[in-house]
Structure formats: structure tokens, C-alpha cells
Amino acid sequence: MIIVKTIEALQEAKKTLSGDIGFVPTMGALHQGHLSLIQQARRENEHLIVSIFVNPTQFGENEDLDAYPRKDDADIKICTVAKVDILFMPEISVMYEDDELSIGAPARRGYVLEGEKRPGHFDGMVQVVMKLLNLSSASNAYFGKKDAQQLALISQMVKNYFMPVNIVACEIVRDEMGLALSSRNVYLNEEEKVRALSLSSSLKAATKLVMAGEKNVEVIKKEMLNVLDLADEVEYVAIVDRTFSALKEVEIGNSIILVAAKVGKPRLLDNIWI
Ligand code: PAF
């Protein structure tokens, strides 16, 4: 594995690759969820690039960029074992200059749900993902379904800007209890971990209702809220189509049921694609 920190070194390292490139962008602190993206990309491509970059522009004013977990040494080991060809670890000054020309999230789909709770987050996210996709020259780029709105916006960006990359949506990875894996789970204590299971339980309850024939979004959301009473603060439950437009009735094969809630300190997200 080659570790590169500059654009020039990345371009030089890419010259040694011929054939399909798979790309997994990350912010580091790699866990089993990232590893499953990396392994899928490894299986499906001749070459594999992973990036680790804690992107400052996707953190809001109240979000602590400095507190974001950083585990460079462990991450490098994981990428080596996973047979990553190139690991790109740029500094902020490599990725950004002052007074940048910038793209932003779309006005409607980028500012609901996560976009409403974290204003500006998706502007910074699409900005960095466009840079990273361009730099990687990837044929296939891998993103988790857990960040479903992020995935939908990246797919829209690739479509709107005619970018020559295939976006691969990867399944959510859960622990043995059913908790969706996230870098934020490290902030949960044992008691909170148990209460955090109410997110996946609410999705199970919603799915059960849908399977029993219930389509009305308000009825399903009400049931989810009942199950979520162990969470400290429910930020939203929502049912949208795959492009993140709100739905009144569940459309089988085109719906995502989402939940965001605080348990202890961290905000947790989960969803299921119906
Ligand atoms: O999902 C993430 O880790 C980040 O939002 C991403 C896609 C790496 C962009 O910084």
C-alpha cells in the first residue's frame, strides 16, 4: 500500500494502476462498517483507493471538529490488511484554498431532515466528495446506506454534473444486537447502547406494519415514536422516497424509513429501505 498526502503524489501513484478503480472516501476512525465498504470495493475492482480526510466544511459551528475521533495508526493497519492500493491522507491545506468556488446541496432535498438539523453540512459534504471523486478517477465509489440522505445527494450530484463514476450503495452493517455501526457509537456507555437499540426496533415495528398492509405514513410514524420512548430526544422520524421527497403513503420498492435520535450525547441515525 502506498500512503500519499499530496495531489501530486496521488496522481503519480495512480499512474501505476490500470483497470477499474474502486474508491472509498472516509473520515477515518474506521470500523466494521467502513471495512465492509472497503472489502466490497476490493472484490469488485482491480484497484482500490481509500481516503481519510476529516472534512472541516461539513462540520457546523456547534459541532466539534477537533473532537472528531482520529485513529490514523489503526486506520493505516486496517487499510494495509484490506489490501488497499493507495491510501490518500491529505491535510486541509491540500484540499482547500481561500475563497473557493463552491457547489452546494440542492435547495429542497439538501435542507430537510439531516440538512435541517445540520445546516450547511451537506454543502460541505458535496463540496469535498466532488473533489475526492475527481481526484480518485474512480470507476466505482462506495457509500453506506446508513447515511441515506448523503448517498441520495451524492447520486444527484453525479447525475447533475455528468460525473463519470458509478455510485455503489452498500448495506448497513449492524452489531450483534442490531445497532447500526457508526463512529459515534464510541460515545455510548453500556446502558445507552441498550437504549440505542430502540432506533432499530422502531424500524422493525414500521416494517412489520408495512408488511401487514399499512401504507399511511402518519400511522407508521406514530408507531415508531411509541417504540422510541427509550431515546433521550427523537429528532425526526420520516418516510421519503429514494430521492428524499416526502411521501404520504409508503411505496414498496421506493421508500426509505428514517430515524434520528439522541441517546446520551451522540446523535444516532438509522434507516431501512422498503
Ligand atoms: O460519510 C463520511 O464519512 C463523509 O461524509 C464523507 C463521505 C467521507 C465526506 O467527507
Side-chain angles (χ1 to χ4, degrees):
M1 182 175 81
I2 309 175
I3 301 176
V4 292
K5 298 196 173 213
T6 65
I7 308 296
E8 296 71 27
L10 174 63
Q11 304 299 14
E12 206 48 46
K14 278 195 314 186
K15 285 187 190 154
T16 62
L17 312 181
S18 60
D20 276 357
I21 297 177
F23 176 52
V24 183
T26 79
M27 298 211 299
L30 302 180
H31 52 64
Q32 201 57 39
H34 296 109
L35 190 58
S36 85
L37 304 182
I38 293 172
Q39 287 169 333
Q40 184 173 344
R42 180 68 282 172
R43 283 195 301 276
E44 296 178 358
N45 299 273
E46 281 164 280
H47 303 291
L48 174 55
I49 303 180
V50 170
S51 65
I52 295 178
F53 178 61
V54 183
N55 173 39
T57 67
Q58 69 188 73
F59 285 77
E61 274 172 19
N62 306 326
E63 297 173 350
D64 196 353
L65 170 67
D66 295 332
Y68 195 84
R70 285 162 216 252
K71 299 185 174 166
D72 284 359
D73 291 345
D75 291 347
I76 290 171
K77 279 192 192 123
I78 291 171
C79 288
T80 309
V81 172
K83 298 195 168 18
V84 172
D85 293 303
I86 301 176
L87 178 59
F88 180 46
M89 300 177 75
E91 296 291 333
I92 294 172
S93 59
V94 168
M95 293 299 285
Y96 290 107
E97 63 176 16
D98 280 345
D99 194 25
E100 284 221 353
L101 184 155
S102 190
I103 62 161
R108 189 168 45 81
R109 284 179 252 172
Y111 281 86
V112 291
L113 303 173
E114 282 305 287
E116 190 181 353
K117 293 286 167 201
R118 304 179 67 190
H121 166 67
F122 286 133
D123 294 324
M125 185 281 291
V126 290
Q127 182 186 23
V128 80
V129 172
M130 177 175 270
K131 285 169 185 268
L132 291 167
L133 289 177
N134 287 339
L135 283 170
S136 71
S137 312
S139 326
N140 302 299
Y142 294 77
F143 296 88
K145 284 184 175 177
K146 175 160 167 296
D147 293 309
Q149 196 170 3
Q150 164 170 287
L151 175 60
L153 293 174
I154 291 167
S155 301
Q156 189 186 352
M157 175 181 77
V158 163
K159 181 168 164 248
N160 292 167
Y161 283 85
F162 310 107
M163 295 168 72
V165 55
N166 175 41
I167 300 299
V168 184
C170 303
E171 293 307 324
I172 296 176
V173 181
R174 299 177 181 282
D175 72 9
E176 60 286 351
M177 302 291 285
L179 181 65
L181 297 193
S182 160
S183 310
R184 295 177 185 151
N185 292 356
V186 295
Y187 301 117
L188 295 169
N189 63 31
E190 288 310 309
E191 180 267 333
E192 288 163 348
K193 266 190 196 152
V194 174
R195 289 195 291 117
L197 292 175
S198 61
L199 276 81
S200 55
S201 301
S202 75
L203 295 171
K204 279 186 202 143
T207 311
K208 205 168 156 201
L209 275 183
V210 174
M211 293 309 152
E214 183 59 67
K215 294 260 167 73
N216 186 299
V217 161
E218 292 311 318
V219 173
I220 298 167
K221 281 166 53 173
K222 202 167 161 212
E223 174 62 11
M224 289 176 72
L225 289 172
N226 287 338
V227 178
L228 281 161
D229 61 356
L230 288 180
D232 290 315
E233 185 189 333
V234 178
E235 292 197 345
Y236 59 79
V237 291
I239 304 184
V240 295
D241 72 10
R242 301 277 164 95
T243 68
F244 269 77
S245 298
L247 286 174
K248 287 204 168 93
E249 296 229 312
V250 170
E251 295 169 7
I252 306 279
N254 186 36
S255 303
I256 308 177
I257 306 180
L258 304 127
V259 52
K262 272 194 186 143
V263 178
K265 235 174 134 201
R267 296 182 70 234
L268 302 175
L269 307 182
D270 204 347
N271 67 69
I272 189 159
W273 297 38
I274 297 277

